[in-house]
């Protein structure tokens, strides 16, 4: 695959509340019926962009999130970031957020889990359901 080609992985749904949740967004943990073209993340890749789609939003105005290299969410790959909820035009309880990452994912610590990246996220208030989380990367 050429170096400038973007690839993606995704996961199905996950409920978010004000408590942190950890969601595996690697192709290994992905619901491939929702995204049959999901590809595993290579051990060394540049993480480019995160897109999250959600439904059933109740009260939440923002999502506090970061990417982590372990299933417990203890070892971050990105800083914790607050992203405003962007509501859909047609349905006020649907929407999402997107973020540019521009960071490397390399196996330099013992906490690194081969082939996996985890989304650690919570809402500022209320609840929502993540229906799809796309992570774009460059090999």
């Amino acid at each position: 695959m050429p170096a400038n080609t973007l690839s993606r992985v995704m996961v199905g749904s996950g409920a978010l509340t004000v408590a942190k949740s950890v969601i595996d967004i690697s192709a290994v943990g992905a619901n491939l019926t929702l995204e049959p073209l999901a590809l595993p993340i290579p051990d060394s890749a540049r993480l480019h962009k995160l897109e999250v789609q959600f439904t059933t939003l109740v009260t939440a105005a923002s999502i506090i999130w970061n990417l982590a290299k372990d299933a417990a969410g203890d070892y971050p790959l990105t800083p914790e970031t607050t992203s405003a909820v962007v509501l859909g035009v047609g349905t006020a309880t649907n929407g999402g957020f997107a973020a540019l990452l521009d960071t490397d994912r390399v196996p330099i610590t013992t906490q690194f889990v081969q082939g996996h990246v985890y989304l650690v996220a919570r809402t500022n208030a209320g609840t929502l359901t993540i229906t799809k989380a796309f992570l774009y990367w460059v090999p």
Side-chain angles (χ1 to χ4, degrees):
M1 184 180 311
N4 62 349
T5 300
L6 295 178
S7 298
R8 70 178 180 214
V9 299
M10 63 78 61
V11 69
S13 64
L16 290 188
T17 66
V18 295
K20 283 187 178 181
S21 294
V22 181
I23 302 168
D24 188 349
I25 60 172
S26 64
V28 177
N31 181 343
L32 296 180
T33 61
L34 294 175
E35 183 50 64
L37 300 178
L39 297 171
I41 303 169
D43 286 348
S44 295
R46 176 157 291 277
L47 303 181
H48 176 67
K49 183 180 181 186
L50 176 68
E51 293 177 8
V52 175
Q53 299 173 9
F54 58 76
T55 60
T56 61
L57 174 121
V58 177
T59 312
S62 61
I63 298 172
I64 300 91
W65 63 274
N66 68 281
L67 296 179
K69 60 178 82 176
D70 66 308
D74 292 335
Y75 301 99
L77 286 167
T78 63
E80 189 170 81
T81 303
T82 299
S83 294
V85 164
V86 179
L87 295 176
V89 174
T91 308
T93 59
N94 294 348
F97 75 89
L100 294 176
L101 303 172
D102 196 29
T103 189
D104 290 325
R105 176 190 175 273
V106 293
I108 57 173
T109 67
T110 57
Q111 292 80 24
F112 176 86
V113 180
Q114 186 174 18
H116 291 264
V117 171
Y118 301 88
L119 174 64
V120 180
R122 62 185 172 88
T123 62
N124 70 315
T127 61
L128 58 83
T129 301
I130 291 177
T131 54
K132 293 184 180 181
F134 292 95
L135 177 63
Y136 294 85
W137 49 270
V138 180

